[in-house]
Amino acid sequence: MRKLIFAAAFAATACVIANQHPVAAQVLPTSAGAVSAAVIEDLVAGSRILADQGVLDAFGHVSIRHPSNPNRYLISRWQAPALMTADDVIEYDLDSNPITANGRPSFLERFIHGAVYKARPDVNSVVHSHSPAVIPFGVSQVPLQALFTNAGFLAAGVPVFEIRKYGGMTNLLIHNVEFGKALADTLGDKSVALMRGHGNVVVGASVQVAVYRAVYTEINARMQMQAIGLGGPITFLEKEEGDKIDSVNNDPTNPSGGIMRPWELWKKKVMGK
């Protein structure tokens, strides 16, 4: 009898303890859903275009915000940009945790993308590159400025990110959420931010806009160095001029806008269609 009473008391106590300390079930994140083949094709095209145009080499990456969930983004697995295919796309949350990696390796600096999407709801595509002509402007006292119409977006200003302010002596890589946030804060509401001794980040409302801006940031940098070499004062675009140029280029309903003409040319070259 005593054994039965003890067993019942023990069971009741265990039940109380279990109710006081429930074990939370682990909830794994699920994908935001399938994305149309056309959207993925443009992401792949953007990666290949940037490599073809000399903005990316074996390094760098381009991403898009997930069209069905603004708290997710899509980017290639870890590999050279020119090699990207539709099968390489991985979905991430905005802390850059992989959702659909399935064992595939991730870019170390994917945190750039998640942080920018978190800070900028107007941005739907992000490019990170080591664009060669741009890097000197991030390590010198000469600011990168808009020199011609196709780079009008630069007239709003181009901030320079100094990672030493946030991490002291580092390897300069944006390898965590904290550095990503610091870079996004430096970018602010601008289209481009330079990364001292490293590269740059370029953003846009679409992958077409971001790729266009990344290409013409590199071209503008080369032109600016040529203009400096000529000597004498340089007449740069004013912000008002840049804003008016950008409003035309970014209008998808305007057939004379400057974004889609080069995009169609570049895409045909790298995709064959």
Side-chain angles (χ1 to χ4, degrees):
M1 184 68 178
R2 288 182 179 179
K3 289 183 179 179
L4 290 174
I5 294 173
F6 177 79
F10 180 81
T13 302
C15 183
V16 171
I17 292 173
N19 289 333
Q20 288 177 342
H21 301 283
V23 178
Q26 185 178 12
V27 179
L28 297 176
T30 58
S31 170
V35 179
S36 74
V39 169
I40 296 299
E41 180 179 280
D42 280 346
L43 175 58
V44 172
S47 186
R48 295 184 186 180
I49 287 167
L50 290 167
D52 182 68
Q53 293 295 311
V55 175
L56 304 181
D57 48 16
F59 300 97
H61 20 83
V62 56
S63 68
I64 58 171
R65 194 188 292 270
H66 197 293
S68 301
N69 186 338
N71 295 315
R72 300 287 176 80
Y73 69 93
L74 305 170
I75 193 171
S76 172
R77 68 176 178 87
W78 179 87
Q79 67 175 345
L83 303 179
M84 185 182 180
T85 69
D87 293 334
D88 297 316
V89 176
I90 299 176
E91 179 183 331
Y92 293 85
D93 66 22
L94 297 193
D95 286 327
S96 294
N97 298 306
I99 306 299
T100 61
N102 298 322
R104 293 172 294 173
S106 298
F107 289 117
L108 180 64
E109 291 194 289
R110 63 190 184 277
F111 299 96
I112 294 171
H113 302 261
V116 171
Y117 290 127
K118 189 179 289 188
R120 292 279 300 274
D122 61 307
V123 168
N124 291 310
S125 184
V126 177
V127 175
H128 168 55
S129 82
H130 305 156
S131 193
V134 178
I135 290 176
F137 292 94
V139 299
S140 69
Q141 297 303 306
V142 180
L144 183 64
Q145 295 177 263
L147 198 71
F148 75 128
T149 53
N150 288 13
F153 55 89
L154 296 175
V158 183
V160 178
F161 174 68
E162 175 52 84
I163 197 169
R164 288 176 185 169
K165 292 181 180 179
Y166 306 95
M169 295 295 119
T170 69
N171 59 12
L172 306 188
L173 301 180
I174 309 301
H175 58 76
N176 59 39
V177 170
E178 292 72 27
F179 286 164
K181 181 181 184 304
L183 175 57
D185 289 345
T186 298
L187 174 67
D189 63 354
K190 304 300 188 292
S191 300
V192 180
L194 309 188
M195 303 162 69
R196 192 265 309 161
H198 183 168
N200 63 79
V201 59
V202 181
V203 302
S206 68
V207 67
Q208 291 85 355
V209 172
V211 167
Y212 174 95
R213 288 175 172 172
V215 171
Y216 282 104
T217 295
E218 167 69 16
I219 293 172
N220 188 93
R222 295 200 301 261
M223 288 183 171
Q224 186 172 340
M225 285 191 279
Q226 291 170 344
I228 291 170
L230 293 174
I234 301 172
T235 303
F236 294 103
L237 271 63
E238 295 289 344
K239 183 179 184 301
E240 184 177 356
E241 294 175 309
D243 289 343
K244 290 181 176 180
I245 294 166
D246 217 25
S247 67
V248 173
N249 285 343
N250 286 333
D251 183 359
T253 66
N254 186 349
S256 64
I259 297 292
M260 292 312 295
R261 185 188 299 179
W263 173 264
E264 290 169 358
L265 172 65
W266 297 334
K267 182 176 178 180
K268 185 174 181 64
K269 183 179 179 183
V270 301
M271 303 293 282
K273 57 181 176 179

